[in-house]
Amino acid sequence: TPPHNPGEVIDAVIAYMDRPGISIDKLMDYVPAPDFPTGGTIVNASQMRDIYERGEGRIRLRAKTEIEKGENGRKNIIITEIPYTISGNKAKLVETLVNLAREKVFDEIYDVRDESSKEGIRIVVEVKKDRDINNLLNGLYKKTQMEDTYGVNLLAIKPESDGTSQPKVFNLKSMIEEFVLFQEDLYTKEYQFLLAKAKKRLEIVEGLMKATDVIDLIIAILRGSKNLKDAKACLVNGDISNIHFKVAGFEEDAKKLHFTGRQASAILEMR
């Protein structure tokens, strides 16, 4: 999958969510083409509609160049952006250009320099005086990676309802649709988890609030029990068979208790 501009993708996702019936043509108003971090020009931009429809194809990327005046009547071809396919091997492109000049494959080239810096790419190709720069450029596109192809394959793993997953080639719209479905599922599970957590907390809080209303009874149960198990049985089921109240009068109220298990545990953990 080629890299895309996040802002454009977000706009396309929002457009799809607003209009699920939106066409690929309309989605391309938001995502016209991939956005390669090294820049360059997509030569076959007219084929992007077909590539986004089929989910596969080949993009022709060409380096971006500018023409500047050089010394002694020469002109310079300045390469400022390169195809994404060679982004990690810029030095190889420079070496190729140097070799082509040295071997006189392109006699028009006077010198090649890499003046790139943290500010960006800047490869200088000095052209001899009165030479046809356009003809040279066309030759360089053919003989070097100043023009290259990038294979597009929108292949991803699609989870099925039965728990299995299958590889599938998506088009632009179906990939966005699958992303939205995934996000819906993701957030549904997240908020179901948070809701369950909140309900458990609510149960505990309600139990503690209820316990404060009968705190004297609970203290009497704890003092009259030999262990936490007997105390919890009394809090949950009103079972006083193993409770020996030191002060009479709590038995009948204790029989009416019906805290939940979690509430009883929280009460017994109170200091």
Side-chain angles (χ1 to χ4, degrees), residues 65-70 73-78 106 108-109 125-141 146:
T65 61
E66 300 172 359
I67 307 299
E68 294 182 356
K69 288 184 178 181
R74 293 189 293 269
K75 290 185 178 180
N76 298 338
I77 298 173
I78 311 298
F106 293 106
E108 300 97 324
I109 298 178
V125 179
E126 283 194 76
V127 183
K128 294 177 182 178
K129 186 177 180 180
D130 299 327
R131 299 302 178 94
D132 189 335
I133 289 184
N134 289 329
N135 185 61
L136 173 60
L137 275 174
N138 289 331
L140 291 175
Y141 291 141
M146 284 179 62

Side-chain angles (χ1 to χ4, degrees), residues 164-266:
T164 62
S165 298
Q166 297 292 334
K168 177 182 176 180
V169 176
F170 293 86
N171 61 33
L172 178 62
K173 181 177 178 179
S174 63
M175 179 162 278
I176 291 175
E177 179 181 30
E178 192 64 32
F179 171 76
V180 171
L181 290 173
F182 171 75
Q183 293 298 318
E184 289 177 351
D185 184 55
L186 185 69
Y187 282 105
T188 298
K189 290 179 179 177
E190 177 184 354
Y191 288 113
Q192 284 175 341
F193 170 79
L194 293 175
L195 177 61
K197 186 177 179 180
K199 284 182 175 179
K200 287 181 181 179
R201 177 59 184 162
L202 176 62
E203 178 185 348
I204 299 301
V205 172
E206 288 178 338
L208 295 176
M209 292 172 63
K210 182 179 176 182
T212 60
D213 294 334
V214 290
I215 193 68
D216 292 335
L217 173 60
I218 291 173
I219 292 173
I221 292 170
L222 291 173
R223 287 177 175 173
S225 61
K226 294 181 179 180
N227 52 57
L228 291 177
K229 180 180 179 182
D230 292 339
K232 186 172 183 178
C234 182
L235 293 174
V236 175
N237 302 314
D239 182 2
I240 63 172
S241 57
N242 293 320
I243 307 296
H244 303 285
F245 291 100
K246 301 185 184 303
V247 178
F250 287 109
E251 291 86 347
E252 292 304 315
D253 287 337
K255 290 179 182 179
K256 299 175 183 178
L257 294 177
H258 52 82
F259 289 98
T260 67
R262 276 193 288 265
Q263 288 175 337
S265 296

Side-chain angles (χ1 to χ4, degrees), residues 90-153:
K90 175 174 64 68
K92 182 67 175 178
L93 173 61
V94 175
E95 181 182 349
T96 300
L97 292 170
V98 170
N99 289 336
L100 289 173
R102 181 182 299 121
E103 295 168 6
K104 307 254 183 227
V105 175
F106 293 106
D107 186 55
E108 300 97 324
I109 298 178
Y110 178 81
D111 190 21
V112 177
R113 299 188 306 276
D114 186 2
E115 297 180 356
S116 302
S117 66
K118 63 180 181 180
E119 302 299 327
I121 295 172
R122 181 180 169 87
I123 301 172
V124 180
V125 179
E126 283 194 76
V127 183
K128 294 177 182 178
K129 186 177 180 180
D130 299 327
R131 299 302 178 94
D132 189 335
I133 289 184
N134 289 329
N135 185 61
L136 173 60
L137 275 174
N138 289 331
L140 291 175
Y141 291 141
K142 292 179 181 179
K143 294 285 187 178
T144 74
Q145 285 187 297
M146 284 179 62
E147 182 171 310
D148 206 356
T149 58
Y150 181 95
V152 175
N153 190 358

